[in-house]
Structures are given as structure tokens and as C-alpha cells.
Amino acid sequence: MAVTGVAGFIGSHVAEALLDAGADVVGIDAFVGFHGAEHKRRNLAGLLATPGFTFHELDLRDADLDSVLEGVDTVIHEAALAGLPTSWADVDAYVRCNVTGTSRLIEACQRRGVGRFVHASTSSVYGRDAVGDETQETNPISPYGVSKLAAEKLVQAHVVVNDFPATILRYFSIYGPRQRPDMAYRIFIEALLSDRPLTVFGDGRQSRSNTYVGDCVDGTIRAIDGGHVGEVYNLGGGVSLELLEAIDIIAQTMDVRPRITYSPGRPGDQRVTSADFSKARETFGYRPRVKPTEGLANQVRWVMEENAVKVA
């Protein structure tokens, strides 16, 4: 099996789970992003020491992918340039990473006869409000969301025209250990560790269908054999939290009192996400198990351990 974006937040967890299940994993990553590569290299360290794992540092936009995919039967495509706010500043980078990179990967998979392709997408394709099942209208409001929807459409075009064996998963607000440095919960935890005020964009009442990374990984792996070709599936956590509620859980876990400052909302931010994942549940048995109190506590512990390593 191959996992793109293997050094990223979700990709590293997916690769670990596959290795734990006895699979050989080919990992691909280019360490692309606006928040540096140091954290990705730490994500990768444990994988590099695991038997059955092979790593290739290469960029989907221009690298020779055929040789890397030789003998690979399944590709889980986690690689993407992420982040809603930053996407406004460099639209071209998001198009080249998320659309061009995906196109070249699909073409290489077809040449190599890859038998299964799982494409990781996002609730951002729905737009400001992502509430309901997969039939809701897609109306992204950020260049990031637009690029991810374009990648979905490209995958689906290959399914129709070339019988490409792909399934699409739309992730809803993934959190937990290894969350990217630019994501809200990670920022809040690190600010509270340093006794700094938290900046909330908007009124703090925006809500998310929080999905713990372990549940996301379970759903992704189930979709390899259980997802239907050409279909799209929501993966959510089953519990929606307002941002201020999440901050309260984090602060209680850390036994601190947060100081909050408010700034205007950012262009492209979603207001409400609430995933209906009944299609994934009925098709391949997806059932999220980790509640926000447990998942956020796990993330707090991980961030504290990471900061202890940096200080040492």
C-alpha cells in the first residue's frame, strides 16, 4: 500500500495503523506547507524505524511516480496543501498541489494498474455551512475548498471515463495528537501552556463536527475494501462543539483559566459543520468512538510532551 502525505497529521496515523495491521507501506511526502517541515519530520521518525515501511521524499507535482508505485495495489491519497486562511494568499500553490499533483498521481496509478484509490477530501467543499449528508450542495468559500472540490471532480471524471477504482472521503474537523501547528486546538493548547491569551476569530459560536484522528483513520482504512467505487462518504465525529465549548474543555483539562481576545472572522471560515455519516456507517461500518473530552485530553497530553521535548 502507498500513503501520500505520509508525514502529515492524518497520513502518519494512517500509515501507522496499516503497519500495525501487517501491511507493507510505501510513504510519499514532499514536506510542503506554510508552517515548516520540522513537525512533519518528527511525525515520520517512528515510521522510519518500523519494518515494512519505505519512504520516498518526492513532490507529486513533478516527480517520477511510476517507479515508486511499482507493485503497489492500493493508494491512500492524503497529500494536500491545507489551510483555509492561507489559501487566499497563494491560489496557484493550492491548485498545483491539490489538483495538478492529484492528476499526476491518478495517471501514474492507472499506468501501474493500482487496484484501489482512496481520496481524502474535506467538509470545506460544502461551504460556510456543512450540515447533512453527501447530497448537500457543494459551494466552497475559500481557494482551499475550491481546489479540493476540483480534485474530487477530477477523481470522479477518471472513475467515469477510465473506470478508475476510487472512493472519496470528506473529513470533518480532524483533531488529536500531531495536529498541524496552524490548527486552532493546537494553537490554543500551546498558548495556554505559555500563559498567553487566546485569539478567537468571530464570536466563538461557530461549531464543528469534531472527528478524532483515530476515528478518521479507522474510517479511512474501512473504506479501502468497503467503500464503493465512485461514491463519496462523510466521516464525522458525531458530536458538534462550539469553539468556546472546545476551549472550555481544553482549559479544564489543563486546569487553567483562559484569557480570550476576539478578532473579526476570517474570509473562508466555516460557520457550522455537522456531518451526517450514516452512508459510511451503513456501507462499511464506520462508527466514531472517541468523544471530544477524551480526544482533546489526548491532544493536550501530546502537545505537552512535544513541548517538553523542545525544551529539553
mmCIF file of all heavy atoms in Angstrom, residues 108-152:
data_model
loop_
_atom_site.group_PDB
_atom_site.id
_atom_site.type_symbol
_atom_site.label_atom_id
_atom_site.label_comp_id
_atom_site.label_asym_id
_atom_site.label_seq_id
_atom_site.Cartn_x
_atom_site.Cartn_y
_atom_site.Cartn_z
ATOM 1 N N ALA A 108 -0.400 8.107 -12.887
ATOM 2 C CA ALA A 108 0.613 7.096 -12.561
ATOM 3 C C ALA A 108 -0.041 5.826 -12.027
ATOM 4 O O ALA A 108 0.392 4.703 -12.358
ATOM 5 C CB ALA A 108 1.601 7.657 -11.541
ATOM 6 N N CYS A 109 -1.086 5.968 -11.210
ATOM 7 C CA CYS A 109 -1.815 4.803 -10.698
ATOM 8 C C CYS A 109 -2.422 3.994 -11.837
ATOM 9 O O CYS A 109 -2.402 2.753 -11.818
ATOM 10 C CB CYS A 109 -2.921 5.252 -9.736
ATOM 11 S SG CYS A 109 -2.347 5.817 -8.111
ATOM 12 N N GLN A 110 -2.947 4.674 -12.828
ATOM 13 C CA GLN A 110 -3.540 3.972 -13.967
ATOM 14 C C GLN A 110 -2.483 3.232 -14.772
ATOM 15 O O GLN A 110 -2.701 2.098 -15.200
ATOM 16 C CB GLN A 110 -4.301 4.977 -14.841
ATOM 17 C CG GLN A 110 -5.563 5.513 -14.182
ATOM 18 C CD GLN A 110 -6.236 6.597 -14.990
ATOM 19 O OE1 GLN A 110 -5.575 7.432 -15.593
ATOM 20 N NE2 GLN A 110 -7.550 6.592 -15.002
ATOM 21 N N ARG A 111 -1.343 3.879 -14.960
ATOM 22 C CA ARG A 111 -0.272 3.210 -15.708
ATOM 23 C C ARG A 111 0.237 1.976 -14.966
ATOM 24 O O ARG A 111 0.618 0.980 -15.592
ATOM 25 C CB ARG A 111 0.884 4.178 -15.963
ATOM 26 C CG ARG A 111 0.586 5.262 -16.986
ATOM 27 C CD ARG A 111 1.836 5.996 -17.399
ATOM 28 N NE ARG A 111 2.431 6.747 -16.304
ATOM 29 C CZ ARG A 111 2.158 8.025 -16.017
ATOM 30 N NH1 ARG A 111 1.272 8.684 -16.755
ATOM 31 N NH2 ARG A 111 2.747 8.634 -15.012
ATOM 32 N N ARG A 112 0.242 2.030 -13.648
ATOM 33 C CA ARG A 112 0.764 0.929 -12.844
ATOM 34 C C ARG A 112 -0.313 -0.089 -12.458
ATOM 35 O O ARG A 112 -0.025 -1.069 -11.775
ATOM 36 C CB ARG A 112 1.432 1.484 -11.579
ATOM 37 C CG ARG A 112 2.807 2.068 -11.825
ATOM 38 C CD ARG A 112 3.740 1.000 -12.369
ATOM 39 N NE ARG A 112 5.082 1.502 -12.625
ATOM 40 C CZ ARG A 112 6.028 0.787 -13.222
ATOM 41 N NH1 ARG A 112 5.744 -0.439 -13.637
ATOM 42 N NH2 ARG A 112 7.226 1.290 -13.416
ATOM 43 N N GLY A 113 -1.544 0.154 -12.855
ATOM 44 C CA GLY A 113 -2.611 -0.800 -12.578
ATOM 45 C C GLY A 113 -2.989 -0.893 -11.113
ATOM 46 O O GLY A 113 -3.381 -1.976 -10.639
ATOM 47 N N VAL A 114 -2.913 0.221 -10.385
ATOM 48 C CA VAL A 114 -3.322 0.241 -8.983
ATOM 49 C C VAL A 114 -4.803 -0.129 -8.889
ATOM 50 O O VAL A 114 -5.646 0.406 -9.613
ATOM 51 C CB VAL A 114 -3.068 1.631 -8.354
ATOM 52 C CG1 VAL A 114 -3.721 1.749 -6.983
ATOM 53 C CG2 VAL A 114 -1.567 1.890 -8.250
ATOM 54 N N GLY A 115 -5.125 -1.055 -7.977
ATOM 55 C CA GLY A 115 -6.473 -1.596 -7.914
ATOM 56 C C GLY A 115 -7.431 -0.861 -7.013
ATOM 57 O O GLY A 115 -8.650 -1.096 -7.056
ATOM 58 N N ARG A 116 -6.905 0.052 -6.183
ATOM 59 C CA ARG A 116 -7.790 0.771 -5.241
ATOM 60 C C ARG A 116 -7.182 2.114 -4.918
ATOM 61 O O ARG A 116 -5.978 2.235 -4.645
ATOM 62 C CB ARG A 116 -7.957 -0.055 -3.956
ATOM 63 C CG ARG A 116 -9.171 0.332 -3.153
ATOM 64 C CD ARG A 116 -10.451 -0.202 -3.803
ATOM 65 N NE ARG A 116 -11.619 0.151 -3.004
ATOM 66 C CZ ARG A 116 -12.312 1.283 -3.152
ATOM 67 N NH1 ARG A 116 -11.960 2.162 -4.067
ATOM 68 N NH2 ARG A 116 -13.361 1.520 -2.400
ATOM 69 N N PHE A 117 -8.022 3.168 -4.891
ATOM 70 C CA PHE A 117 -7.576 4.535 -4.640
ATOM 71 C C PHE A 117 -8.574 5.191 -3.692
ATOM 72 O O PHE A 117 -9.762 5.292 -4.006
ATOM 73 C CB PHE A 117 -7.507 5.313 -5.956
ATOM 74 C CG PHE A 117 -6.876 6.673 -5.867
ATOM 75 C CD1 PHE A 117 -5.524 6.844 -6.125
ATOM 76 C CD2 PHE A 117 -7.637 7.794 -5.577
ATOM 77 C CE1 PHE A 117 -4.935 8.105 -6.083
ATOM 78 C CE2 PHE A 117 -7.067 9.059 -5.533
ATOM 79 C CZ PHE A 117 -5.710 9.207 -5.786
ATOM 80 N N VAL A 118 -8.108 5.599 -2.518
ATOM 81 C CA VAL A 118 -8.958 6.303 -1.549
ATOM 82 C C VAL A 118 -8.484 7.741 -1.486
ATOM 83 O O VAL A 118 -7.328 8.014 -1.135
ATOM 84 C CB VAL A 118 -8.894 5.642 -0.157
ATOM 85 C CG1 VAL A 118 -9.737 6.438 0.842
ATOM 86 C CG2 VAL A 118 -9.377 4.199 -0.226
ATOM 87 N N HIS A 119 -9.368 8.655 -1.827
ATOM 88 C CA HIS A 119 -9.029 10.074 -1.918
ATOM 89 C C HIS A 119 -9.571 10.841 -0.715
ATOM 90 O O HIS A 119 -10.785 10.842 -0.461
ATOM 91 C CB HIS A 119 -9.609 10.661 -3.206
ATOM 92 C CG HIS A 119 -9.354 12.126 -3.378
ATOM 93 N ND1 HIS A 119 -8.129 12.618 -3.772
ATOM 94 C CD2 HIS A 119 -10.154 13.201 -3.182
ATOM 95 C CE1 HIS A 119 -8.186 13.941 -3.829
ATOM 96 N NE2 HIS A 119 -9.409 14.314 -3.470
ATOM 97 N N ALA A 120 -8.685 11.482 0.031
ATOM 98 C CA ALA A 120 -9.086 12.262 1.204
ATOM 99 C C ALA A 120 -9.483 13.670 0.790
ATOM 100 O O ALA A 120 -8.674 14.424 0.244
ATOM 101 C CB ALA A 120 -7.945 12.309 2.217
ATOM 102 N N SER A 121 -10.741 14.020 1.055
ATOM 103 C CA SER A 121 -11.230 15.374 0.798
ATOM 104 C C SER A 121 -11.673 15.995 2.122
ATOM 105 O O SER A 121 -11.233 15.562 3.191
ATOM 106 C CB SER A 121 -12.357 15.344 -0.239
ATOM 107 O OG SER A 121 -12.676 16.655 -0.665
ATOM 108 N N THR A 122 -12.529 16.979 2.070
ATOM 109 C CA THR A 122 -12.811 17.806 3.239
ATOM 110 C C THR A 122 -14.232 18.344 3.230
ATOM 111 O O THR A 122 -14.830 18.539 2.167
ATOM 112 C CB THR A 122 -11.827 18.995 3.282
ATOM 113 O OG1 THR A 122 -12.238 19.954 4.263
ATOM 114 C CG2 THR A 122 -11.781 19.716 1.940
ATOM 115 N N SER A 123 -14.743 18.617 4.431
ATOM 116 C CA SER A 123 -16.059 19.252 4.549
ATOM 117 C C SER A 123 -16.052 20.667 3.982
ATOM 118 O O SER A 123 -17.119 21.240 3.736
ATOM 119 C CB SER A 123 -16.496 19.286 6.013
ATOM 120 O OG SER A 123 -15.658 20.133 6.781
ATOM 121 N N SER A 124 -14.865 21.249 3.761
ATOM 122 C CA SER A 124 -14.782 22.608 3.215
ATOM 123 C C SER A 124 -15.383 22.703 1.824
ATOM 124 O O SER A 124 -15.704 23.811 1.364
ATOM 125 C CB SER A 124 -13.327 23.071 3.175
ATOM 126 O OG SER A 124 -12.809 23.224 4.476
ATOM 127 N N VAL A 125 -15.560 21.574 1.133
ATOM 128 C CA VAL A 125 -16.172 21.637 -0.203
ATOM 129 C C VAL A 125 -17.630 22.048 -0.108
ATOM 130 O O VAL A 125 -18.199 22.539 -1.090
ATOM 131 C CB VAL A 125 -16.044 20.301 -0.956
ATOM 132 C CG1 VAL A 125 -14.584 19.898 -1.107
ATOM 133 C CG2 VAL A 125 -16.843 19.192 -0.297
ATOM 134 N N TYR A 126 -18.258 21.880 1.060
ATOM 135 C CA TYR A 126 -19.674 22.229 1.203
ATOM 136 C C TYR A 126 -19.884 23.731 1.336
ATOM 137 O O TYR A 126 -20.935 24.237 0.981
ATOM 138 C CB TYR A 126 -20.268 21.521 2.421
ATOM 139 C CG TYR A 126 -20.396 20.027 2.269
ATOM 140 C CD1 TYR A 126 -19.784 19.164 3.168
ATOM 141 C CD2 TYR A 126 -21.133 19.465 1.222
ATOM 142 C CE1 TYR A 126 -19.899 17.789 3.047
ATOM 143 C CE2 TYR A 126 -21.250 18.095 1.083
ATOM 144 C CZ TYR A 126 -20.624 17.257 1.993
ATOM 145 O OH TYR A 126 -20.735 15.899 1.853
ATOM 146 N N GLY A 127 -18.913 24.430 1.898
ATOM 147 C CA GLY A 127 -19.055 25.869 2.046
ATOM 148 C C GLY A 127 -19.232 26.301 3.473
ATOM 149 O O GLY A 127 -18.793 25.635 4.409
ATOM 150 N N ARG A 128 -19.871 27.457 3.671
ATOM 151 C CA ARG A 128 -19.973 28.062 5.000
ATOM 152 C C ARG A 128 -20.666 27.146 5.999
ATOM 153 O O ARG A 128 -20.262 27.043 7.167
ATOM 154 C CB ARG A 128 -20.721 29.399 4.907
ATOM 155 C CG ARG A 128 -20.690 30.207 6.217
ATOM 156 C CD ARG A 128 -21.353 31.557 6.052
ATOM 157 N NE ARG A 128 -20.732 32.323 4.985
ATOM 158 C CZ ARG A 128 -19.612 33.031 5.134
ATOM 159 N NH1 ARG A 128 -18.981 33.039 6.290
ATOM 160 N NH2 ARG A 128 -19.123 33.719 4.117
ATOM 161 N N ASP A 129 -21.711 26.491 5.587
ATOM 162 C CA ASP A 129 -22.425 25.557 6.453
ATOM 163 C C ASP A 129 -22.365 24.162 5.840
ATOM 164 O O ASP A 129 -22.830 23.952 4.714
ATOM 165 C CB ASP A 129 -23.884 25.976 6.632
ATOM 166 C CG ASP A 129 -24.027 27.309 7.343
ATOM 167 O OD1 ASP A 129 -23.282 27.540 8.314
ATOM 168 O OD2 ASP A 129 -24.872 28.117 6.927
ATOM 169 N N ALA A 130 -21.767 23.231 6.571
ATOM 170 C CA ALA A 130 -21.665 21.847 6.108
ATOM 171 C C ALA A 130 -22.508 20.991 7.041
ATOM 172 O O ALA A 130 -22.022 20.443 8.026
ATOM 173 C CB ALA A 130 -20.213 21.384 6.104
ATOM 174 N N VAL A 131 -23.788 20.916 6.736
ATOM 175 C CA VAL A 131 -24.744 20.249 7.623
ATOM 176 C C VAL A 131 -25.559 19.249 6.811
ATOM 177 O O VAL A 131 -26.268 19.631 5.878
ATOM 178 C CB VAL A 131 -25.698 21.267 8.287
ATOM 179 C CG1 VAL A 131 -26.672 20.545 9.198
ATOM 180 C CG2 VAL A 131 -24.907 22.317 9.062
ATOM 181 N N GLY A 132 -25.431 17.972 7.156
ATOM 182 C CA GLY A 132 -26.241 16.975 6.472
ATOM 183 C C GLY A 132 -25.406 15.890 5.822
ATOM 184 O O GLY A 132 -24.243 15.672 6.180
ATOM 185 N N ASP A 133 -26.013 15.217 4.840
ATOM 186 C CA ASP A 133 -25.342 14.092 4.198
ATOM 187 C C ASP A 133 -24.628 14.544 2.926
ATOM 188 O O ASP A 133 -24.494 15.745 2.651
ATOM 189 C CB ASP A 133 -26.326 12.959 3.939
ATOM 190 C CG ASP A 133 -27.419 13.338 2.947
ATOM 191 O OD1 ASP A 133 -27.278 14.357 2.219
ATOM 192 O OD2 ASP A 133 -28.434 12.607 2.885
ATOM 193 N N GLU A 134 -24.193 13.566 2.140
ATOM 194 C CA GLU A 134 -23.373 13.862 0.966
ATOM 195 C C GLU A 134 -24.147 14.507 -0.171
ATOM 196 O O GLU A 134 -23.545 14.934 -1.170
ATOM 197 C CB GLU A 134 -22.709 12.562 0.470
ATOM 198 C CG GLU A 134 -21.728 11.935 1.445
ATOM 199 C CD GLU A 134 -22.389 11.095 2.530
ATOM 200 O OE1 GLU A 134 -23.645 10.989 2.536
ATOM 201 O OE2 GLU A 134 -21.663 10.549 3.370
ATOM 202 N N THR A 135 -25.477 14.595 -0.048
ATOM 203 C CA THR A 135 -26.269 15.209 -1.116
ATOM 204 C C THR A 135 -26.366 16.723 -0.988
ATOM 205 O O THR A 135 -26.898 17.377 -1.886
ATOM 206 C CB THR A 135 -27.698 14.623 -1.130
ATOM 207 O OG1 THR A 135 -28.353 14.939 0.115
ATOM 208 C CG2 THR A 135 -27.665 13.119 -1.326
ATOM 209 N N GLN A 136 -25.870 17.271 0.122
ATOM 210 C CA GLN A 136 -25.941 18.722 0.271
ATOM 211 C C GLN A 136 -25.095 19.399 -0.802
ATOM 212 O O GLN A 136 -24.122 18.846 -1.302
ATOM 213 C CB GLN A 136 -25.491 19.158 1.662
ATOM 214 C CG GLN A 136 -24.055 18.819 2.008
ATOM 215 C CD GLN A 136 -23.752 19.083 3.473
ATOM 216 O OE1 GLN A 136 -23.798 20.218 3.938
ATOM 217 N NE2 GLN A 136 -23.457 18.021 4.206
ATOM 218 N N GLU A 137 -25.472 20.618 -1.148
ATOM 219 C CA GLU A 137 -24.803 21.342 -2.224
ATOM 220 C C GLU A 137 -23.357 21.640 -1.862
ATOM 221 O O GLU A 137 -23.031 21.962 -0.723
ATOM 222 C CB GLU A 137 -25.542 22.655 -2.494
ATOM 223 C CG GLU A 137 -24.964 23.475 -3.631
ATOM 224 C CD GLU A 137 -25.696 24.785 -3.841
ATOM 225 O OE1 GLU A 137 -26.600 25.087 -3.039
ATOM 226 O OE2 GLU A 137 -25.343 25.503 -4.791
ATOM 227 N N THR A 138 -22.471 21.520 -2.850
ATOM 228 C CA THR A 138 -21.081 21.923 -2.653
ATOM 229 C C THR A 138 -20.920 23.362 -3.132
ATOM 230 O O THR A 138 -21.229 23.687 -4.278
ATOM 231 C CB THR A 138 -20.125 21.003 -3.431
ATOM 232 O OG1 THR A 138 -20.540 20.910 -4.791
ATOM 233 C CG2 THR A 138 -20.112 19.610 -2.805
ATOM 234 N N ASN A 139 -20.452 24.219 -2.220
ATOM 235 C CA ASN A 139 -20.314 25.640 -2.527
ATOM 236 C C ASN A 139 -19.152 26.216 -1.709
ATOM 237 O O ASN A 139 -19.358 27.036 -0.809
ATOM 238 C CB ASN A 139 -21.626 26.374 -2.209
ATOM 239 C CG ASN A 139 -21.603 27.805 -2.686
ATOM 240 O OD1 ASN A 139 -20.898 28.153 -3.632
ATOM 241 N ND2 ASN A 139 -22.366 28.664 -2.008
ATOM 242 N N PRO A 140 -17.918 25.789 -1.990
ATOM 243 C CA PRO A 140 -16.774 26.218 -1.177
ATOM 244 C C PRO A 140 -16.568 27.726 -1.207
ATOM 245 O O PRO A 140 -16.837 28.375 -2.220
ATOM 246 C CB PRO A 140 -15.594 25.483 -1.818
ATOM 247 C CG PRO A 140 -16.042 25.139 -3.209
ATOM 248 C CD PRO A 140 -17.513 24.914 -3.108
ATOM 249 N N ILE A 141 -16.078 28.259 -0.079
ATOM 250 C CA ILE A 141 -15.911 29.713 0.043
ATOM 251 C C ILE A 141 -14.460 30.094 0.321
ATOM 252 O O ILE A 141 -14.186 31.163 0.856
ATOM 253 C CB ILE A 141 -16.835 30.283 1.143
ATOM 254 C CG1 ILE A 141 -16.575 29.606 2.492
ATOM 255 C CG2 ILE A 141 -18.293 30.160 0.733
ATOM 256 C CD1 ILE A 141 -17.287 30.294 3.650
ATOM 257 N N SER A 142 -13.527 29.220 -0.052
ATOM 258 C CA SER A 142 -12.101 29.532 0.057
ATOM 259 C C SER A 142 -11.385 28.866 -1.107
ATOM 260 O O SER A 142 -11.852 27.854 -1.636
ATOM 261 C CB SER A 142 -11.521 29.010 1.374
ATOM 262 O OG SER A 142 -11.478 27.599 1.378
ATOM 263 N N PRO A 143 -10.242 29.409 -1.523
ATOM 264 C CA PRO A 143 -9.475 28.740 -2.572
ATOM 265 C C PRO A 143 -9.094 27.313 -2.193
ATOM 266 O O PRO A 143 -9.044 26.434 -3.061
ATOM 267 C CB PRO A 143 -8.241 29.630 -2.731
ATOM 268 C CG PRO A 143 -8.716 30.993 -2.333
ATOM 269 C CD PRO A 143 -9.679 30.736 -1.202
ATOM 270 N N TYR A 144 -8.838 27.066 -0.911
ATOM 271 C CA TYR A 144 -8.551 25.703 -0.473
ATOM 272 C C TYR A 144 -9.732 24.790 -0.784
ATOM 273 O O TYR A 144 -9.570 23.716 -1.384
ATOM 274 C CB TYR A 144 -8.255 25.681 1.021
ATOM 275 C CG TYR A 144 -8.264 24.284 1.617
ATOM 276 C CD1 TYR A 144 -7.298 23.352 1.272
ATOM 277 C CD2 TYR A 144 -9.253 23.899 2.527
ATOM 278 C CE1 TYR A 144 -7.311 22.065 1.810
ATOM 279 C CE2 TYR A 144 -9.273 22.626 3.069
ATOM 280 C CZ TYR A 144 -8.304 21.718 2.708
ATOM 281 O OH TYR A 144 -8.327 20.442 3.239
ATOM 282 N N GLY A 145 -10.936 25.203 -0.370
ATOM 283 C CA GLY A 145 -12.122 24.394 -0.624
ATOM 284 C C GLY A 145 -12.373 24.196 -2.112
ATOM 285 O O GLY A 145 -12.762 23.100 -2.549
ATOM 286 N N VAL A 146 -12.134 25.234 -2.890
ATOM 287 C CA VAL A 146 -12.313 25.140 -4.339
ATOM 288 C C VAL A 146 -11.340 24.118 -4.919
ATOM 289 O O VAL A 146 -11.711 23.284 -5.760
ATOM 290 C CB VAL A 146 -12.109 26.518 -5.000
ATOM 291 C CG1 VAL A 146 -12.040 26.387 -6.518
ATOM 292 C CG2 VAL A 146 -13.243 27.467 -4.610
ATOM 293 N N SER A 147 -10.079 24.167 -4.471
ATOM 294 C CA SER A 147 -9.078 23.238 -5.004
ATOM 295 C C SER A 147 -9.403 21.800 -4.622
ATOM 296 O O SER A 147 -9.196 20.871 -5.418
ATOM 297 C CB SER A 147 -7.677 23.620 -4.517
ATOM 298 O OG SER A 147 -7.502 23.338 -3.137
ATOM 299 N N LYS A 148 -9.932 21.587 -3.422
ATOM 300 C CA LYS A 148 -10.272 20.226 -3.003
ATOM 301 C C LYS A 148 -11.495 19.704 -3.756
ATOM 302 O O LYS A 148 -11.568 18.512 -4.075
ATOM 303 C CB LYS A 148 -10.492 20.178 -1.497
ATOM 304 C CG LYS A 148 -9.225 20.399 -0.675
ATOM 305 C CD LYS A 148 -8.199 19.289 -0.896
ATOM 306 C CE LYS A 148 -8.625 17.994 -0.240
ATOM 307 N NZ LYS A 148 -7.593 16.924 -0.421
ATOM 308 N N LEU A 149 -12.452 20.582 -4.042
ATOM 309 C CA LEU A 149 -13.612 20.159 -4.829
ATOM 310 C C LEU A 149 -13.185 19.836 -6.265
ATOM 311 O O LEU A 149 -13.647 18.860 -6.864
ATOM 312 C CB LEU A 149 -14.693 21.231 -4.817
ATOM 313 C CG LEU A 149 -15.973 20.881 -5.585
ATOM 314 C CD1 LEU A 149 -16.623 19.608 -5.045
ATOM 315 C CD2 LEU A 149 -16.972 22.045 -5.534
ATOM 316 N N ALA A 150 -12.267 20.651 -6.803
ATOM 317 C CA ALA A 150 -11.763 20.376 -8.147
ATOM 318 C C ALA A 150 -11.061 19.022 -8.192
ATOM 319 O O ALA A 150 -11.216 18.261 -9.155
ATOM 320 C CB ALA A 150 -10.806 21.487 -8.585
ATOM 321 N N ALA A 151 -10.305 18.703 -7.142
ATOM 322 C CA ALA A 151 -9.631 17.403 -7.083
ATOM 323 C C ALA A 151 -10.660 16.270 -7.045
ATOM 324 O O ALA A 151 -10.485 15.232 -7.711
ATOM 325 C CB ALA A 151 -8.711 17.340 -5.873
ATOM 326 N N GLU A 152 -11.733 16.458 -6.282
ATOM 327 C CA GLU A 152 -12.808 15.458 -6.249
ATOM 328 C C GLU A 152 -13.390 15.244 -7.644
ATOM 329 O O GLU A 152 -13.604 14.099 -8.084
ATOM 330 C CB GLU A 152 -13.931 15.906 -5.318
ATOM 331 C CG GLU A 152 -13.696 15.735 -3.845
ATOM 332 C CD GLU A 152 -14.993 15.915 -3.064
ATOM 333 O OE1 GLU A 152 -16.076 15.832 -3.688
ATOM 334 O OE2 GLU A 152 -14.930 16.123 -1.845
#
